[in-house]
C-alpha cells in the first residue's frame, strides 16, 4: 500500500469503508481538487487529505479520500485538467471495486468559464462553455466560440472564481 512506510514516525491514513479515493494527485494540488469538487468540510462527511506524501515510485503525491461519494464524469474531467495522472478508486465495503486513471478529454464542456469577458458563452443563461483541448503538456484549451486560449493558470483561476456558477 502506498502509505505504508518503514518510518514509524509517519501516521498511516486509515482505509475508508465506502466512497472514493483520488490517488496519485499531483503533489500540492489536493486542496484545488477539493475546491473543484465543492468540498468545504461543512458537509459533515469524512474526508481525509494527504499532501506531499511519498508514492511507491518515491515521488511525492497527494491523496483525497471522500466517504460516501461517487464522482461523476464531469467532476473526473475537471480533475484531469488539474491533475492528469490522478487515479480514481471506488470503494465498497472496504474493497476497491473500480479503479481507473482520469483521462484528459478531447473536448471539455460546461466549465470553466471563458476568460474572455466578451465571449458569447458568458452572456448566455445557462452558460454553454465548450473547449477543444489543444495540448496536454503544457495544458492548453481553446474556446469553441471565441477562440481564446486558456492555460492551466487561467483554468484554475476561472474554476475557483466561478465554480458556483459553472456547476
Ligand atoms: N484505499 C482506502 N480504503 C480502502 C481501500 C483502498 O483508502 N478501503 C486507498 C488505498 O490506501 C490507496 C488507494 O485507495 O491509497 C488504492 O488502493 P489499492 O488499489 O489497494 O492500492 P495500490 O495497489 O497501492 O494502488 P495503486 O496501484 O493505484 O497505487
Ligand atoms: Zn470564449
Amino acid at each position: 500500500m502506498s502509505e505504508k512506510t518503514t518510518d514509524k514516525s509517519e501516521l498511516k491514513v486509515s482505509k475508508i469503508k465506502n466512497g472514493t479515493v483520488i490517488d496519485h494527485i499531483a503533489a500540492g494540488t489536493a486542496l484545488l481538487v477539493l475546491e473543484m469538487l465543492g468540498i468545504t468540510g461543512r458537509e459533515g462527511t469524512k474526508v481525509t487529505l494527504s499532501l506531499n506524501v511519498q508514492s511507491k515510485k518515491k515521488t511525492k503525491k497527494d491523496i483525497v479520500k471522500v466517504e460516501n461519494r461517487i464522482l461523476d464524469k464531469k467532476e473526473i474531467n475537471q480533475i484531469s485538467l488539474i491533475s492528469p495522472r490522478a487515479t480514481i478508486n471506488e470503494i465498497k465495503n472496504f474493497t476497491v471495486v473500480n479503479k481507473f486513471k482520469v483521462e484528459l478529454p478531447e473536448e471539455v464542456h460546461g466549465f470553466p468559464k471563458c476568460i474572455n469577458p466578451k465571449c458569447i458563452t458568458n452572456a448566455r443563461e445557462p452558460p454553454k462553455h465548450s473547449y477543444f483541448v489543444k495540448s496536454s503538456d503544457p495544458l492548453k484549451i481553446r474556446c469553441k466560440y471565441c477562440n481564446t486560449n486558456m492555460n492551466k493558470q487561467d483554468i484554475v483561476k476561472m474554476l475557483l472564481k466561478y465554480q458556483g456558477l459553472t456547476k
Side-chain angles (χ1 to χ4, degrees), residues 36 74-82 111 159 163:
M36 288 191 312
K74 183 175 172 184
E75 292 167 328
I76 291 165
N77 282 347
Q78 286 199 3
I79 294 170
S80 79
L81 288 177
I82 302 305
F111 69 92
L159 277 175
Q163 177 64 3

Side-chain angles (χ1 to χ4, degrees), residues 1-3 13-17 21 23-24 56 61 63 65 87 89 91 93-96 99:
M1 262 157 295
S2 38
E3 297 106 307
V13 179
S14 50
K15 299 207 168 258
I16 63 170
K17 184 171 184 195
V21 175
D23 201 354
H24 304 282
K56 276 186 284 193
K61 66 168 181 179
I63 310 170
K65 301 187 180 191
T87 311
N89 299 272
I91 314 291
N93 207 14
F94 289 108
T95 306
V96 179
K99 181 197 283 279

